[in-house]
Amino acid sequence: MAAGLGGVLLLGACGGGSGDEAAPTAPASSPAPTASASPAPTGSPSGAAPGELEGSWLATSGGQAVALVITGDEAGLFASRGTVCGGRVGESAGQRTVRLSCGGADRSRGTGTVDSVTSTTLRVTWSGSAGTETYTRAEGGKLPSGLPTADAS
């Protein structure tokens, strides 16, 4: 269980640049700005900046806990009944999207459109049976224990 979640959390450690235009290199004493250093959005539509989506988001849907983790343009989703998905965050027709590939036959969350994002909530409408889900940002960026992992067999 810890190995699967650890792999997703390592996505943050593996992320390269943000894809923005190159800027002169800052001296080592000047840390790069982070998503938490930016002002909190106030209900921005799906055209939200990538950093606004970054973080650990939690929801309850269909009687199960769902965790959506976004690091840079990488995304991972875990649900308490064993769903494990990985994918990317991008943009399509001016809309922020989350595209996931889930293990097994689960197709409930293949492609999601970000309807809104604030400093505390993220609303995503999935093309599959999950429909619209509203996530709450995890406190302190920490996920709860007991999340499922991919079955190695």
Side-chain angles (χ1 to χ4, degrees), residues 25-118:
T25 304
S29 63
S30 299
T34 63
S36 61
S38 63
T42 56
S44 61
S46 61
E52 294 172 339
L53 299 178
E54 197 158 331
S56 301
W57 301 91
L58 306 173
T60 302
S61 179
Q64 64 180 331
V66 179
L68 175 62
V69 181
I70 299 174
T71 304
D73 66 350
E74 301 282 334
L77 184 134
F78 307 88
S80 59
R81 292 195 186 126
T83 300
V84 177
C85 310
R88 295 187 120 16
V89 175
E91 190 168 321
S92 177
Q95 297 274 309
R96 297 292 301 168
T97 59
V98 180
R99 295 185 189 277
L100 299 173
S101 176
C102 301
D106 188 342
R107 303 287 179 255
S108 60
R109 294 178 186 90
T111 300
T113 301
V114 176
D115 298 323
S116 64
V117 61
T118 69

Side-chain angles (χ1 to χ4, degrees), residues 125-143:
T125 299
W126 298 101
S127 60
S129 62
T132 300
E133 294 179 322
T134 301
Y135 297 85
T136 302
R137 188 179 298 273
E139 291 186 29
K142 295 181 181 177
L143 293 174

